[in-house]
Amino acid sequence: MPVTTVEQRRSQVLRLAAKQAMELPLHSTGFWFHSDVRDNYYFATHLFAYTAGGAEDWVEYRRIEGMELAAGMLQRILQLQDRDPSSRTYGHWPLHLGEDPSAAKPHPLPVELMGCLLILFYERYGQRLPPIIKKEVDEALLHLYRSPVYRHPLQNLTHHEAKHTAQKLLLGHLFQDASLLREGLSHTARILEHLERFGFKEYGCLPWHWHWIQAFTCVWELVQDEEAKNLTERMLEKLWKLRAKAYLAGAWTGARSRVWPHDAPKDTNTAHDYIQFGDFPAPASFPRLEGAALFTYEVSEAVRRSAAAAPQPQEIKRSIRFAEAGGHTESEAHTSLYRTDAYALGGIWERREEYDNEQVRWALSLPLGGEAAQAGVNQLTFFHPGAGYRPGDTRHASRYGEVLFHRGIVMELWDIPSGDTEAADFLIGCLPKGEWCFTPRSGSGVLDSGVYVSFHLLHGYRTAEEPDRVSVLSPLSDGRGGLVLEVLHAKEAAALGVRHADEWARYLEQQAAPLWASDGAGLLSVSYTAQDGSRLFLELANGQLKNRSLDSTSPDLQAYPLF
């Protein structure tokens, strides 16, 4: 049967997740994973849901084996909860299990999303659970309700508080606690008002954007209160619209405040997108399964239209005010994204020191169904490595660098102060697989037979062919470096008489290269004339932004809307 509807794709993901669960090797402790207790829970609930639903493509003995495996896994997980009311970690589960899970210490993170999903799972499948397992879930939820784990005030308006708020609503519903339900409603309304007034500070934040969506989807699925339904519908519409604006056939595009290795330089946490949009191949595995196939919620038609590949390129600009719950604005930032049906390029103008230094300042993203994404990574980026950087990891940029964005162009300059003796003396680049041609200071490539890329570096570079990418290393000179990247759609290239990689390389040989300027007085600049005739200029003075302009006009960041 063709997989064409949201429900069919949800069933497909449930089946694939259950199959993966059955194939996971078990440790002697009885757990699949020792690194994160939550992964055991996510796969166990999907396996149980699939087998409880009949597992029609499995023989009966395999279905029973799967249900027993899932139930046993759930029991082991639930028994790790701290159920001592006098304990400081009452209600919590451990995160890292180690080789002796019974000795693992409770941690504040697992209960946040796992608690929301446990309530959803209990309401859906509680009556199908073996009595001993149902009793374990009953006790776990009662201890969760009695504990203080979700009783936090609104302060920072992050994914943590979103999940705490959702739990207030879910537990208020489950235990018929009208006071707790009212508190959850009040917090949800305040969060919505804050997003509408200040924007969404966790821009492109993965997997935490999904945590927002999943937590409030659990509420939407279960809580019957009319006000709760209305608030969560508004919340989910807003969150999914933000996601849709950064969407390109399964890829997250543009800047991201936090990102894990499984999403950079290739998007692999794709189950939610696949279920809702289905415009790229089904995921083969689930590095972050969470509650992917347990929801019935479907995005609105407006969200689908926003996520769909537009026939004409779109420039998507957004401002963000970083404010606490009280309204005090610490700073502002501005994102810019140029999205076509073949690629998206963009990022954030301001360098920010996000948590764990995981900001992705900018990236070129390709659709997940394309040739490059099938062969390896689907993101292209250059950066100066900073705190936390490890070879092969395209996150953890340094605090240096200034950018200029214009449609399919990114320009960036770096001038590292001589006093920073620990700073890296090189730039890192990551290129997707494609037809590449390299010259001493420039490169050109064709990706997915429809995306034409050129880059120019201030200094030379060397490349290394990796299994999933082409890695680039470009040395700095006196702490200085620079990049000009331009991307054209196949239609734009064809208008220039270019239809394949060799023609693209020959065409670029005839074009004027960027004009770099550097002096001993602290000035560093680059001028570039784009293929459409636009004139771009970026200049630093002693490492600080002095001038950036497009056709002699500075970008008006204050005109960027919140949404």
Side-chain angles (χ1 to χ4, degrees):
M1 293 284 295
V3 180
T4 58
T5 69
V6 170
E7 183 53 42
Q8 287 171 336
R9 291 192 294 272
R10 182 181 296 109
S11 297
Q12 181 186 21
V13 168
L14 183 64
R15 183 177 70 252
L16 292 170
K19 179 178 182 292
Q20 185 176 341
M22 291 291 283
E23 295 171 351
L24 289 170
L26 281 169
H27 291 283
S28 60
T29 59
F31 289 96
W32 290 309
F33 305 95
H34 282 170
S35 57
D36 192 329
V37 71
R38 296 171 294 187
D39 289 326
N40 296 288
Y41 173 79
Y42 301 143
F43 278 101
T45 51
H46 280 70
L47 178 57
F48 190 90
Y50 184 62
T51 55
E56 294 180 359
D57 60 340
W58 290 8
V59 295
E60 181 62 12
Y61 79 84
R62 180 173 172 83
R63 186 190 73 81
I64 295 172
E65 179 186 358
M67 180 173 283
E68 291 176 348
L69 174 61
M73 187 68 68
L74 286 169
Q75 184 177 28
R76 281 187 288 276
I77 295 164
L78 294 170
Q79 288 175 343
L80 294 176
Q81 184 186 35
D82 183 347
R83 296 179 179 178
D84 178 2
S86 66
S87 170
R88 294 180 61 186
T89 55
Y90 176 47
H92 285 296
W93 280 270
L95 178 61
H96 304 295
L97 299 183
E99 296 305 313
D100 183 6
S102 64
K105 295 181 179 179
H107 191 282
L109 287 183
V111 74
E112 290 185 358
L113 182 60
M114 203 170 85
C116 295
L117 293 172
L118 182 61
I119 298 170
L120 176 66
F121 177 78
Y122 177 77
E123 293 269 295
R124 290 271 172 79
Y125 301 101
Q127 299 308 314
R128 302 293 304 275
L129 289 168
I132 190 172
I133 311 300
K134 183 178 184 298
K135 183 174 181 293
E136 286 285 354
V137 181
D138 285 332
E139 291 184 9
L141 292 175
L142 182 60
H143 287 292
L144 175 58
Y145 171 62
R146 290 173 173 172
S147 78
V149 300
Y150 57 91
R151 298 181 184 275
H152 299 282
L154 294 181
Q155 293 179 323
N156 301 311
L157 281 300
T158 65
H159 57 285
H160 300 295
E161 292 170 18
K163 288 176 281 189
H164 295 153
T165 296
Q167 283 191 15
K168 289 181 173 71
L169 291 167
L170 290 164
L171 291 167
H173 158 77
L174 184 64
F175 290 96
Q176 299 182 340
D177 185 333
S179 175
L180 184 58
L181 185 64
R182 284 195 301 273
E183 183 181 347
L185 290 170
S186 173
H187 281 206
T188 304
R190 287 178 59 195
I191 292 172
L192 263 173
E193 188 275 335
H194 191 276
L195 295 183
E196 291 165 351
R197 181 180 176 190
F198 299 103
F200 192 64
K201 67 168 69 175
E202 294 185 304
Y203 55 93
C205 191
L206 292 175
W208 299 272
H209 191 114
W210 291 130
H211 288 193
W212 278 79
I213 286 175
Q214 291 178 89
F216 285 109
T217 300
C218 287
V219 178
W220 182 90
E221 299 273 355
L222 298 182
V223 180
Q224 300 305 310
D225 179 87
E226 184 177 354
E227 185 180 358
K229 199 77 167 180
N230 291 336
L231 284 171
T232 51
E233 283 184 351
R234 288 172 53 198
M235 179 74 75
L236 289 171
E237 183 75 359
K238 190 171 294 294
L239 293 169
W240 272 106
K241 278 185 177 179
L242 284 172
R243 195 286 168 266
K245 288 183 178 180
Y247 183 80
L248 182 68
W252 281 81
T253 64
R256 286 179 274 184
S257 59
R258 291 198 65 190
V259 60
W260 272 32
H262 56 59
D263 282 312
K266 182 169 184 174
D267 294 275
T268 64
N269 182 11
T270 59
H272 296 289
D273 284 331
Y274 177 72
I275 289 170
Q276 295 294 348
F277 304 120
D279 56 353
F280 61 95
S285 61
F286 304 95
R288 197 89 183 195
L289 178 61
E290 296 176 341
L294 302 181
F295 307 118
T296 65
Y297 179 85
E298 295 189 23
V299 300
S300 69
E301 187 57 35
V303 168
R304 292 190 194 285
R305 288 196 301 269
S306 183
Q312 298 299 322
Q314 299 170 303
E315 288 188 84
I316 301 169
K317 300 175 179 180
R318 188 162 64 92
S319 67
I320 308 160
R321 300 170 190 161
F322 295 87
E324 304 303 313
H328 171 71
T329 301
E330 164 228 329
S331 60
E332 292 190 18
H334 306 82
T335 63
S336 178
L337 181 68
Y338 185 68
R339 190 176 71 168
T340 75
D341 60 354
Y343 73 88
L345 177 66
I348 189 166
W349 292 88
E350 298 85 358
R351 159 66 186 170
R352 289 184 55 82
E353 193 73 23
E354 303 288 2
Y355 185 80
D356 274 354
N357 189 33
E358 290 178 349
Q359 183 193 54
V360 174
R361 184 81 174 270
W362 62 267
L364 165 68
S365 295
L366 303 172
L368 288 183
E371 297 171 11
Q374 296 301 303
V377 305
N378 71 307
Q379 299 161 25
L380 182 157
T381 193
F382 284 82
F383 66 100
H384 177 246
Y389 169 74
R390 297 291 183 273
D393 188 345
T394 57
R395 307 171 304 154
H396 304 298
S398 79
R399 65 180 182 274
Y400 304 113
E402 294 292 346
V403 296
L404 175 59
F405 302 123
H406 171 60
R407 294 170 63 86
I409 300 172
V410 172
M411 294 168 50
E412 186 163 10
L413 292 174
W414 295 266
D415 189 359
I416 316 303
S418 58
D420 190 345
T421 57
E422 296 184 357
D425 60 355
F426 55 88
L427 304 176
I428 292 293
C430 174
L431 311 177
K433 295 287 188 175
E435 298 180 79
W436 287 101
C437 177
F438 300 116
T439 63
R441 289 170 57 184
S442 301
S444 64
V446 179
L447 310 174
D448 288 351
S449 303
V451 179
Y452 288 73
V453 181
S454 66
F455 68 85
H456 307 270
L457 291 161
L458 176 56
H459 305 298
Y461 63 96
R462 63 176 184 267
T463 63
E465 189 82 21
E466 307 286 352
D468 64 343
R469 73 193 76 179
V470 177
S471 294
V472 179
L473 189 147
S474 178
L476 302 178
S477 178
D478 295 325
R480 292 179 166 185
L483 166 78
V484 175
L485 175 80
E486 183 165 15
V487 188
L488 297 184
H489 194 284
K491 295 177 183 177
E492 296 171 304
L496 302 175
V498 172
R499 290 177 176 80
H500 53 74
D502 290 343
E503 288 181 347
W504 180 227
R506 288 196 297 270
Y507 173 83
L508 291 172
E509 288 176 357
Q510 309 304 315
Q511 303 304 303
L515 179 62
W516 309 94
S518 179
D519 64 18
L523 292 178
L524 173 64
S525 68
V526 58
S527 304
Y528 181 66
T529 301
Q531 301 304 326
D532 65 0
S534 302
R535 293 173 290 109
L536 292 86
F537 180 68
L538 179 62
E539 182 180 32
L540 307 184
N542 296 313
Q544 303 300 310
L545 178 65
K546 182 179 180 182
N547 188 10
R548 57 185 171 200
S549 63
L550 169 66
D551 293 330
S552 301
T553 301
S554 298
D556 183 10
L557 303 184
Q558 299 309 310
Y560 283 26
L562 282 172
F563 286 99

